[in-house]
Amino acid sequence: MDKFGKYFLMKCDDVREYAYEKLKDQFDWDKESMEAKEIGDGNLNYVFRVWDKNGNSVIIKHAGDTLRISSAMHASTDRNRIESEILILQDKLAPGMVPRIYFYDTVMCACAMEDLSDHEIMRTAMMKHEIFPHFAEEISSFMANTLMGTTDVVLDHKDKKELQKKYINPELCEITEDLVYTEPYNDNKGRNNVFPPNKDFVKKELYEDEELSVEVAKLKMDFMTRAQSLLHGDLHTGSIFINEKNTVVFDPEFCFYGPMGYDIGNVIANMMFAYANAKATMADGKEKDAFISWVEDVIVSVTDLTMAKMRAYYDEHATDVMAKNKKYEDYYLKSILSDTVAVIGLELNRRLVGMANVKDITTIKDEDKRAKAERYLILAAKEYIKKRDSFNSGKEILDTLKEKEGRV
Ligand code: SR1
Ligand code: MG
């Protein structure tokens, strides 16, 4: 019987055999020298690199039915199909900016994708304080094209609804609804990770702020009901491969039709973690100044370039008769900026106090500096959520961060 005809959780040796069998028509494998290594460090899946002495290599991503972050958590292994299909679609909308998919397999819940070992995971690069001058330009193009390109403004409405149906993703959305839109404000499942020196601060600023809770409730219902765009759904710096030439976005398994500010806000918030890490850990001097100044520029430019490119995309591609109206376009784009600003706040809070944290912050060894970083990020986050409608530019977003930093 075909070993891979029925689902099981593969180990390295299985994956080596699997990659050989599934790709022998596409790759000139040297079977004897083939090796496989598990390289994943995400919260959900297993990621293997398989290679041989001829220089062939591939990434096999494999979904288990319990999540890596906690064996008590489950999510449908169908997420692997969803991820593969959206990568194929995004490659059409933003060519060359996602990894190439060789195949996906709904039995083993695995897919094979282009090996991008000549790139680094962006979060790792950020923690080494590396600078990528092309990043803001490229990620803003990726977001403008994939997000505006899947809206009702642009697409035939029946085609859009087909996509919405195909990418409905209730289990992974539920994770976001819990981890981003609920638990940071009440710890209702008792699984938040709060840095002990900030326990009282978090209680007062996040758990006991009634006005904040109401605003987050509004945003949560919006996240669940506003089928605006086909989102990546988890666009943090751990979902981006980067090198001196290219930016490649991967890991879109949380994709679904939602408000597009969710993706844009995620990118910006995660650059704020890079900012806080550099401020807390780098020695004073030219390198620190250069890195911080680049991150500040990314925070401002990702906001402004994405909004400008969205507007250009809208002007060029809008098909809906009622949406082809300048006043409506202004209203639409302003609401995307407001959602973006709110999501910056939501992502900051959930990575600081929720169950899924970020290494940029958790690896800050000096406890006082870490506590201070978390506090100013939380204060900024609250302002982004509560005053989301009052922001007009990337500069205003950065100014708020620096103002809160100066206050703690
Ligand atoms: C239970 S999964 C925790 C987090 O990891 C993923 O990358 C998503 O960000 C999710 O919220
Ligand atoms: Mg991920």
Side-chain angles (χ1 to χ4, degrees):
M1 191 191 132
D2 173 12
K3 175 172 175 182
F4 304 108
K6 186 163 181 274
Y7 177 82
F8 66 94
L9 190 63
M10 294 189 282
K11 299 271 185 271
C12 272
D13 285 347
D14 307 310
V15 171
R16 194 181 57 221
E17 200 181 330
Y18 180 73
Y20 175 78
E21 286 301 329
K22 294 280 177 182
L23 289 166
K24 61 183 179 226
D25 296 335
Q26 291 181 66
F27 282 57
D28 172 29
W29 287 122
D30 175 63
K31 196 172 180 186
E32 293 309 306
S33 67
M34 280 178 79
E35 290 186 57
K37 187 174 177 217
E38 212 279 311
I39 57 165
D41 72 345
N43 293 322
L44 276 74
N45 301 296
Y46 299 89
V47 181
F48 299 87
R49 180 166 186 262
V50 185
W51 71 97
D52 72 4
K53 74 167 198 265
N54 288 350
N56 293 306
S57 64
V58 68
I59 298 296
I60 303 285
K61 186 163 177 181
H62 181 38
D65 61 1
T66 61
L67 305 189
R68 285 184 90 151
I69 192 171
S70 155
S71 57
M73 290 179 80
H74 298 261
S76 164
T77 47
D78 189 45
R79 64 185 185 270
N80 190 272
R81 172 194 65 80
I82 294 175
E83 169 168 356
S84 307
E85 289 184 357
I86 194 186
L87 282 171
I88 293 165
L89 173 67
Q90 287 177 334
D91 194 41
K92 295 191 181 113
L93 293 163
M97 293 201 70
V98 296
R100 180 177 162 208
I101 294 288
Y102 298 111
F103 72 82
Y104 67 94
D105 170 3
T106 51
V107 175
M108 293 306 297
C109 305
C111 61
M113 66 178 93
E114 187 182 357
D115 178 15
L116 290 161
S117 300
D118 55 343
H119 292 63
E120 272 182 291
I121 296 202
M122 189 168 176
R123 192 180 306 285
T124 312
M126 290 302 92
M127 289 176 59
K128 290 191 265 168
H129 310 120
E130 293 172 13
I131 291 174
F132 299 95
H134 57 80
F135 176 65
E137 198 60 68
E138 292 185 354
I139 199 71
S140 57
S141 293
F142 175 83
M143 292 192 289
N145 293 352
T146 58
L147 297 173
M148 273 309 302
T150 53
T151 58
D152 279 298
V153 170
V154 169
L155 289 179
D156 171 86
H157 298 174
K158 290 200 283 301
D159 293 345
K160 182 259 178 171
K161 285 180 179 68
E162 278 305 315
L163 285 176
Q164 192 180 337
K165 201 160 73 178
K166 182 169 175 185
Y167 291 104
I168 190 156
N169 197 353
E171 293 188 27
L172 294 210
C173 282
E174 187 180 36
I175 292 176
T176 306
E177 288 152 22
D178 289 343
L179 297 193
V180 180
Y181 287 90
T182 306
E183 294 172 35
Y185 305 96
N186 47 42
D187 199 17
N188 65 319
K189 293 198 175 162
R191 55 189 186 180
N192 281 356
N193 292 320
V194 177
F195 186 47
N198 280 343
K199 207 166 158 261
D200 292 342
F201 179 86
V202 167
K203 184 166 175 280
K204 172 174 173 280
E205 298 294 343
L206 296 182
Y207 300 165
E208 293 176 354
D209 185 337
E210 187 60 32
E211 186 200 336
L212 180 68
S213 197
V214 174
E215 294 311 312
V216 175
K218 291 181 197 167
L219 292 162
K220 180 178 180 181
M221 296 304 140
D222 229 51
F223 177 80
M224 294 192 288
T225 56
R226 182 129 54 95
Q228 184 176 48
S229 242
L230 186 54
L231 311 185
H232 175 285
D234 199 22
L235 193 41
H236 54 81
T237 47
S239 299
I240 297 171
F241 279 124
I242 198 155
N243 66 16
E244 68 287 354
K245 291 199 205 102
N246 297 313
T247 305
V248 180
V249 174
F250 69 110
D251 223 5
E253 64 202 319
F254 282 79
C255 72
F256 82 114
Y257 257 90
M260 61 175 101
Y262 192 75
D263 279 357
I264 313 165
N266 257 278
V267 173
I268 299 165
N270 280 274
M271 293 311 294
M272 291 183 180
F273 292 130
Y275 173 93
N277 177 282
K279 282 273 176 139
T281 65
M282 288 182 86
D284 286 342
K286 275 191 193 155
E287 270 186 37
K288 181 174 187 172
D289 293 346
F291 183 75
I292 303 249
S293 143
W294 172 71
V295 175
E296 288 180 358
D297 181 60
V298 170
I299 291 168
V300 173
S301 312
V302 168
T303 311
D304 297 345
L305 284 173
T306 307
M307 294 311 298
K309 290 179 188 181
M310 297 258 192
R311 186 177 286 282
Y313 199 106
Y314 195 120
D315 290 340
E316 192 177 340
H317 298 288
T319 60
D320 183 276
V321 177
M322 295 302 283
K324 285 192 197 184
N325 172 315
K326 276 283 165 204
K327 283 198 178 139
Y328 177 75
E329 180 181 348
D330 290 346
Y331 158 84
Y332 183 90
L333 291 169
K334 180 75 185 82
S335 77
I336 291 167
L337 181 59
S338 162
D339 288 345
T340 297
V341 173
V343 172
I344 296 173
L346 294 163
E347 173 71 1
L348 290 175
N349 285 338
R350 74 90 161 219
R351 296 293 187 187
L352 294 167
V353 310
M355 81 179 288
N357 314 110
V358 284
K359 286 187 189 148
D360 318 47
I361 300 300
T362 57
T363 58
I364 299 173
K365 289 203 180 78
D366 182 317
E367 293 210 343
D368 287 342
K369 287 187 176 168
R370 175 171 168 188
K372 177 184 159 166
E374 293 196 4
R375 285 199 294 269
Y376 74 74
L377 290 168
I378 288 172
L379 292 178
K382 290 182 59 164
E383 188 133 331
Y384 295 141
I385 294 169
K386 288 182 178 176
K387 300 200 179 140
R388 57 191 177 280
D389 293 334
S390 69
F391 287 81
N392 294 299
S393 67
K395 179 169 183 311
E396 289 175 12
I397 293 171
L398 179 64
D399 286 349
T400 295
L401 176 71
K402 293 172 98 170
E403 192 260 314
K404 300 302 175 197
E405 183 186 1
R407 282 218 332 212
V408 296

